[in-house]
Amino acid sequence: MKLNDIKPGEGAKHAKRRVGRGIGSGLGKTAGRGHKGQKSRAGGFHKVGFEGGQMPLQRRLPKRGFKSLTKEFNAEVRLSDLEALGSTEGAIDLLSLKAAGVVPQLTIAAKVVLSGSLTKKVVLRGIGATAGAKAAIEAAGGSLE
């Protein structure tokens, strides 16, 4: 094989359709644009979704639902996860949870939920907790800071 032998693959290249080149081409006169109207004119077109002044579909349909942009950066921590953590000298914060692999590295905020049981004393710093989880932590002798 030589550089001067290289050719495009079979069917890769084809001639562009030439419109407006006479009656015999099949695309003469109006060049496939039909007669008159906005779509037949040069430069005459409208924005996406425009329906000629009729109320557009995206405005006829009701608004529905909500998708939080911060959902992927918030994490839930179960009481059983706190129980499974090894020896915790001092307070448990977001960094220690990330280091232990309890929450993902991209997490910005974490909240403890009442799931599982907690027997050892834990001190949480900068981490939220639901009402039930807070009661369970305080019942085990722990606290939230």
Side-chain angles (χ1 to χ4, degrees):
M1 179 184 282
K2 299 186 186 111
L3 284 175
N4 61 343
D5 289 340
I6 297 174
K7 287 191 287 195
E10 192 65 38
K13 299 190 63 88
H14 54 87
K16 199 175 98 174
R17 177 168 291 172
R18 297 189 73 206
V19 297
R21 291 296 179 273
I23 206 166
S25 68
L27 286 166
K29 195 181 170 222
T30 54
R33 288 171 174 256
H35 291 279
K36 297 187 183 173
Q38 188 176 17
K39 287 164 79 173
S40 73
R41 319 262 185 223
F45 218 68
H46 46 72
K47 61 186 176 190
V48 174
F50 184 69
E51 297 183 22
Q54 173 176 298
M55 188 62 69
L57 181 68
Q58 74 270 19
R59 291 189 58 199
R60 289 199 302 267
L61 297 176
K63 288 198 263 185
R64 187 184 148 102
F66 170 76
K67 197 168 179 96
S68 174
L69 297 174
T70 58
K71 183 182 174 190
E72 62 180 309
F73 303 112
N74 296 331
E76 281 185 359
V77 181
R78 294 186 291 275
L79 288 175
S80 52
D81 294 336
L82 295 178
E83 183 74 31
L85 279 176
S87 61
T88 54
E89 306 87 33
I92 296 174
D93 60 354
L94 196 57
L95 282 173
S96 60
L97 290 175
K98 286 180 183 180
V102 176
V103 296
Q105 291 297 320
L106 291 174
T107 302
I108 294 172
K111 192 170 199 175
V112 180
V113 294
L114 183 62
S115 175
S117 60
L118 186 67
T119 55
K120 63 183 184 182
K121 175 185 170 183
V122 292
V123 179
L124 297 179
R125 183 173 290 141
I127 297 172
T130 62
K134 185 176 180 184
I137 290 167
E138 288 170 350
S143 66
L144 278 86
E145 294 179 4

